[in-house]
Amino acid sequence: MDESKNRHALIRATSALFRRRGYAGVGLAEILAETGLPKGSLYYHFPGGKEQLAAEATRWAGRKVAELIDASFEDAESFASGSVALCRAIVRLSQENGRIMGCPVLSIIQAGDEKPDLRQIGADVLNDWTTRIAAQARRLGSHDPQTDAERLVIGLQGAWVVSLARQDVTSFETLESSLRPSA
């Protein structure tokens, strides 16, 4: 593997492991075992160790969800239809090998007072998602795009947490039905 592939492999593996077990539940040895890379490769790319790698993995995962937001609203005819498309995209993202995996920024936010810089990165990612959704809501004629975006992010995060706890997607289905315009 070339250097950029090694770096990207570390970021992807870290994001996946955090989604499964949270920031506190993952050690560097597990990340290295997942990638098959030597310890020197990790410190070459991330001299700040786990915290620097976590920051990069969170930003990377945040960009992946941002791409889903953009794609979900790209051809939407209404904020509701874009919101439903995004909900369905998040359902697909949340599933891995028949299991529901956590939101890629949740464990970083939960690092709390121990890692305030990481928590801020998580907050920045959520703010980016909200800003993107608000721009789409504005484009699609929402009267209160910021509130609509906040409600959607809150709904998606809530559905994700409940789905993770229950290990089923019924919470997303409930959210999706609430997003459709009433007849």
Side-chain angles (χ1 to χ4, degrees), residues 50-155:
K50 181 181 175 183
E51 193 166 333
Q52 182 184 6
L53 181 53
E56 290 300 316
T58 301
R59 289 183 186 111
W60 174 80
R63 286 189 300 273
K64 292 296 175 192
V65 173
E67 290 170 7
L68 289 179
I69 292 167
D70 294 344
S72 296
F73 282 95
E74 184 176 20
D75 296 326
E77 295 179 12
S78 67
F79 184 71
S81 66
S83 297
V84 167
L86 179 57
C87 188
R88 289 178 180 167
I90 297 294
V91 167
R92 289 189 297 277
L93 176 68
S94 73
Q95 297 178 54
E96 182 180 293
N97 298 324
R99 291 187 42 87
I100 306 296
M101 309 308 288
C103 169
V105 299
L106 184 60
S107 70
I108 296 305
I109 292 168
Q110 290 174 320
D113 292 340
E114 295 172 22
K115 303 289 181 189
D117 292 344
L118 289 179
R119 184 179 57 212
Q120 184 58 54
I121 290 168
D124 292 345
V125 167
L126 288 175
N127 287 336
D128 175 64
W129 296 350
T130 304
T131 299
R132 287 173 182 276
I133 293 168
Q136 294 294 342
R138 192 172 299 104
R139 178 182 70 83
L140 294 165
S142 168
H143 296 293
D144 191 352
Q146 187 63 35
T147 299
D148 288 344
E150 289 277 342
R151 284 183 183 143
L152 181 56
V153 170
I154 291 166

Side-chain angles (χ1 to χ4, degrees), residues 103 106 150-166 171-172 175:
C103 169
L106 184 60
E150 289 277 342
R151 284 183 183 143
L152 181 56
V153 170
I154 291 166
L156 288 167
Q157 285 298 312
W160 211 330
V161 168
V162 174
S163 292
L164 176 63
R166 292 181 181 163
S171 294
F172 282 112
L175 175 61

